[in-house]
Amino acid sequence: MLPESLRSSPRVFHGARFDVHAVELPGGGGGSQRREVVVHQGAVVILPLVEDPSGRPGVAMIRNERFAVGRTLWELPAGTLEPGEDPAVCAARELIEETGYEAKRITKMLEFFTTPGFCTERMWAFVAEDLRHVGQALEETERITVEVIGLDKTMQMIGSGEVCDAKTIATLLYYQTFQRA
């Protein structure tokens, strides 16, 4: 849904995953300045909890080849909402697609704006529990591998900069701070 502040702004680009609108903002001296805003459907990120190889609490992390930054990143599985799709439904779908795990229980943790300075994208973060492996269902262009990492190790990976994906950092730190028993 387009925010009220953008409803009268012209769409200057239409893409498969997002649009761009041009907005005229009033300036301090009586003029105005043009700003572009990315209009995005919204997305989900999922924290899949499993045991690590030593039997301790772990996370099914993905290594995701990201062409936009020219690197393969450590991430939590995530994906874009289809128009009108419920975020929990999207989370269940993306979890299977990217990790090959199906969850008996998916619980919403929080929601946040990813880059509110120029983008409308809202992201819903979920915890996935009671997982069973059913096999990945990657899209044709996705290059993703899965590795179970100990939950404590993920904190070290954030601290060292090995994990540098914002949605992953925010979700893991939120869980570690507010929800981990």
Side-chain angles (χ1 to χ4, degrees), residues 48-50 95-96 99-105 128-136:
L49 297 177
V50 293
L95 178 65
I96 293 170
T99 68
Y101 285 103
E102 181 178 59
K104 283 187 181 176
R105 197 168 61 249
E129 299 173 285
D130 295 327
L131 305 182
R132 74 178 180 100
H133 197 266
V134 296
Q136 281 179 306

Side-chain angles (χ1 to χ4, degrees), residues 5 10 12 14 33-35 39-40 47-48 68 89 102 125 130 133 158 160 165-166 181:
S5 60
V12 295
H14 175 67
Q33 290 190 342
R34 177 182 157 143
R35 294 285 189 261
V39 177
H40 191 279
L47 176 60
V89 171
E102 181 178 59
D130 295 327
H133 197 266
I158 291 171
S160 71
D165 172 64

